[in-house]
Amino acid sequence: SPPMTKIVKIAVVGCGITGSTLTSQLLSRLPSSLPSTSTAQIRVYDQGYRPGGRTSSRLLTQLDDTDTEILVDHGCQFFRADLPASRSIVDSWVDQGFVKKLDSLKSSSSSSSSSFFGFPNHPPFFYPTSGGMVGLVNNQVSTWPSDSVTVSSSHRVTSVEKVNDPSCSSHETSFKFKVTSTTGR
């Protein structure tokens, strides 16, 4: 008889830029790192009404004769990527059309190495191509296969507890956890 498929369950808490990037990176690496008789199921918990975390945007409508709509970001509008690990991820986002390089910000000529909000002011800088910073999250989420990833919006994780696994011998480490969440307001 064929071997039983083992399901590896993974929980990701938060679906802002970090949570969505972690989930995307897990999806790209898991198939090659799991035995052929295993499959992964990822559940992403986010306390917001939809993915975005602190990158959330709000659509404001000006109530006057124009009914003008304005998209307001609640976070940064651009970011740096100069470390090798982050740069390879950002390069893949450029290739997918999620972000573009921002050339209009130039490095400061002052002797201070940190002049922009206390962070180093060294290029390269990048910005999302559509939808503000939450657009970067939404673009990543849109690539996830629904049979592998479940996004649980409006779920606030209240605790994560390690579970003792009696099937593990004394020299093995258990990676079983119980995730508890609440829903709604």
Side-chain angles (χ1 to χ4, degrees):
S1 74
M4 294 272 301
T5 299
K6 180 180 178 183
I7 298 174
V8 177
K9 294 182 178 183
I10 300 167
V12 175
V13 178
C15 195
I17 289 179
T18 302
S20 62
T21 302
L22 171 65
T23 302
S24 294
Q25 291 298 302
L26 285 170
L27 285 167
S28 71
R29 289 175 167 76
L30 278 176
S32 61
S33 64
L34 291 175
S36 62
T37 57
S38 297
T39 186
Q41 290 181 345
I42 302 172
R43 185 166 198 160
V44 182
Y45 295 90
D46 194 83
Q47 68 182 356
Y49 294 111
R50 58 189 161 275
R54 293 184 182 193
T55 66
S56 294
S57 300
R58 302 287 184 267
L59 185 63
L60 303 177
T61 303
Q62 185 175 359
L63 298 177
D64 62 9
D65 295 336
T66 63
D67 288 334
T68 304
E69 291 185 337
I70 302 169
L71 185 66
V72 179
D73 279 337
H74 290 268
C76 60
Q77 282 75 46
F78 63 92
F79 58 92
R80 289 181 40 228
D82 56 348
L83 299 174
S86 64
R87 188 55 191 263
S88 66
I89 293 169
V90 173
D91 286 345
S92 75
W93 291 344
V94 169
D95 292 344
Q96 295 173 80
F98 295 172
V99 298
K100 287 185 178 179
K101 192 172 182 182
L102 178 61
D103 291 320
S104 63
L105 291 176
K106 300 297 179 198
S107 183
S108 172
S109 61
S110 71
S111 60
S112 171
S113 64
S114 57
S115 59
F116 185 78
F117 296 127
F119 293 105
N121 191 20
H122 306 285
F125 299 104
F126 296 88
Y127 68 98
T129 55
S130 66
M133 290 303 273
V134 74
L136 177 55
V137 173
N138 292 335
N139 280 327
Q140 290 188 89
V141 171
S142 72
T143 67
W144 300 344
S146 59
D147 61 335
S148 300
V149 182
T150 302
V151 178
S152 296
S153 296
S154 299
H155 281 67
R156 183 171 190 264
V157 172
T158 57
S159 68
V160 178
E161 303 171 45
K162 189 166 174 74
V163 175
N164 290 329
D165 185 358
S167 67
C168 287
S169 63
S170 60
H171 67 280
E172 291 180 315
T173 302
S174 170
F175 291 101
K176 290 187 178 183
F177 294 85
K178 177 182 173 185
V179 177
T180 306
S181 69
T182 60
T183 62
R185 291 178 189 238

